[in-house]
Amino acid sequence: MKVVVKIKQFNRQAILRLCSCILFCCISAGCGKSEVANSSESSISQNSEISSSIKSDLPLEEMDYDEYFSKERKWIDESRTVDDEYFYDVKEDGSVVRFKFSLTNEQIDQTIISDHLGSVNAYTLVYGKPIFIVDHHKIIQTDENGENQQFIYEDPYPIDHILASRELIYFVRENSDFTILRLHRKSDVADELISSTEEISSYRPLSNYTIRWSVFTEEWKEFLKTGKLWEDAPPGIRQSDSYFYNSKTGEKREIEDSDYDADGFLKYTIEEE
C-alpha cells in the first residue's frame, strides 16, 4: 500500500498571523538508536489522503523503539482542538495564560497557570493535553491547570520549537548550531536528526523517518533587517530554502520545484505493507 502525504507550502509569517487572528476571534479561540544518537514545517499545512495500516496488536504509543521504527509511519498532527477546550498563550516573560472559550459563548475564562510551571518558552498540544518547554531545557506534560506534571525530557542546551504526538516529540536544540531532535516517548531515546549552522526557520515531520525543514535565504534575512512586514516584501523574493532528511536512509537533499504537484502540494509517498 502507498500512503501519499501531500503538504501545501504557505508563507510562515502568514500562517502565524492567520493563527493569531483565529485565536483572537475565538477569544473576543537511519534511525540510529542511542541515548542521544546522531542519526522534519511547523508552519506547513498537512493533508493526508490514506490512513496508515497498522498490523501490530500494540497501540503505537506502546511500541518499543525497535518495533515503532521497524517501518515508516506517517506523521499525524494531533494538536487538534474542539469547542470548549483550552488554549494557552505563552508571554514573553515566560508566564502562561490559559483560555477557555466557546464559539457559542462570549464568556472567556482566563487563568494564569505559570506559577505551577516555571518560565515557559514553548508549548504544543496533544489531543488537548499541553506539553511545555520550561526554562529552555526541560519538557513536561501537565493537565489543563499546569498540575499533575509528568517529566519527559531535559537537555543540557537550550531547546525550543516543539511539536508532538503520542509517540514522538520533536524540538530544536540551540547551541553552536541548530539541531532538530526526535524523542521516542516510550523508550526515552532521543535522536539527533539534522544540524544546521543557519537558524532553522521552520520544520515539519513527514513520517517517523523523514522531516522537512527550512532556513531563511540571505535575501530574506536582509529584507527582515529593514523592519518591514512580510507582505511588503518585493515581488519575487525567495523567503526560504527547504530540505528533506530521511533518518533511515541518511538521504539529505534540497527540495526542488519538481517535488511539488500541479496544485502546489509537496509530494511524499510512504510505502506500506
Side-chain angles (χ1 to χ4, degrees):
M1 177 188 298
K2 287 187 178 181
V3 176
V4 180
V5 180
K6 302 177 73 177
I7 297 189
K8 183 78 170 182
Q9 174 151 18
F10 296 96
N11 184 289
R12 180 173 182 264
Q13 283 81 0
I15 288 185
L16 292 176
R17 184 178 294 274
L18 177 60
C19 291
S20 298
C21 291
I22 292 173
L23 180 59
F24 176 81
C25 292
C26 292
I27 294 177
S28 286
C31 224
K33 182 178 179 182
S34 66
E35 287 306 309
V36 177
N38 289 323
S39 16
S40 255
E41 216 150 289
S42 55
S43 306
I44 300 179
S45 174
Q46 178 169 322
N47 174 22
S48 300
E49 294 185 327
I50 304 175
S51 298
S52 297
S53 173
I54 300 172
K55 297 182 178 180
S56 173
D57 292 333
L58 282 175
L60 288 177
E61 62 267 29
E62 294 299 323
M63 291 183 180
D64 63 21
Y65 185 99
D66 289 333
E67 182 175 8
Y68 183 76
F69 287 104
S70 64
K71 60 183 291 187
E72 187 166 18
R73 308 176 192 276
K74 70 172 183 175
W75 170 260
I76 299 176
D77 185 354
E78 296 179 340
S79 63
R80 68 190 78 173
T81 58
V82 297
D83 292 357
D84 301 317
E85 286 192 342
Y86 291 108
F87 281 79
Y88 301 84
D89 184 18
V90 177
K91 305 295 186 180
E92 290 186 3
D93 62 1
S95 62
V96 178
V97 177
R98 184 194 69 199
F99 298 93
K100 183 177 175 65
F101 71 92
S102 172
L103 296 179
T104 59
N105 189 340
E106 295 183 358
Q107 297 296 318
I108 304 167
D109 172 30
Q110 301 186 33
T111 304
I112 298 176
I113 63 171
S114 54
D115 55 333
H116 301 294
L117 300 171
S119 179
V120 173
N121 57 289
Y123 87 97
T124 189
L125 295 172
V126 178
Y127 281 103
K129 294 183 178 180
I131 298 177
F132 298 101
I133 296 180
V134 179
D135 300 324
H136 294 274
H137 291 277
K138 185 166 60 175
I139 299 176
I140 63 172
Q141 181 168 303
T142 76
D143 62 18
E144 67 274 11
N145 299 312
E147 299 174 341
N148 296 316
Q149 296 182 11
Q150 174 190 353
F151 172 82
I152 296 177
Y153 176 84
E154 188 166 11
D155 199 280
Y157 300 102
I159 57 176
D160 207 341
H161 309 302
I162 188 170
L163 293 172
S165 68
R166 286 170 292 186
E167 302 90 42
L168 300 173
I169 295 178
Y170 292 82
F171 53 93
V172 178
R173 174 192 288 159
E174 302 176 5
N175 190 16
S176 57
D177 52 14
F178 301 87
T179 304
I180 299 175
L181 286 91
R182 178 192 62 208
L183 175 69
H184 181 244
R185 301 181 65 175
K186 174 67 175 178
S187 64
D188 294 325
V189 173
D191 297 309
E192 294 181 356
L193 298 183
I194 197 73
S195 291
S196 171
T197 56
E198 298 288 333
E199 182 176 0
I200 295 170
S201 60
S202 58
Y203 74 95
R204 183 73 178 181
L206 304 182
S207 72
N208 57 334
Y209 292 165
T210 305
I211 57 172
R212 169 204 180 132
W213 84 100
S214 300
V215 297
F216 289 141
T217 62
E218 291 301 322
E219 59 181 343
W220 184 256
K221 287 188 285 188
E222 288 300 316
F223 169 74
L224 292 177
K225 291 178 182 179
T226 67
K228 295 180 181 179
L229 298 176
W230 64 267
E231 57 262 34
D232 297 325
I237 188 171
R238 194 172 81 258
Q239 178 181 343
S240 61
D241 293 322
S242 298
Y243 303 85
F244 278 130
Y245 174 71
N246 185 306
S247 64
K248 181 71 171 181
T249 65
E251 179 188 16
K252 172 188 173 183
R253 66 175 180 85
E254 188 170 0
I255 295 175
E256 303 174 350
D257 290 343
S258 59
D259 291 310
Y260 296 92
D261 64 19
D263 297 320
F265 286 94
L266 182 65
K267 298 178 291 186
Y268 184 76
T269 302
I270 297 175
E271 297 283 352
E272 292 194 314
E273 298 178 356

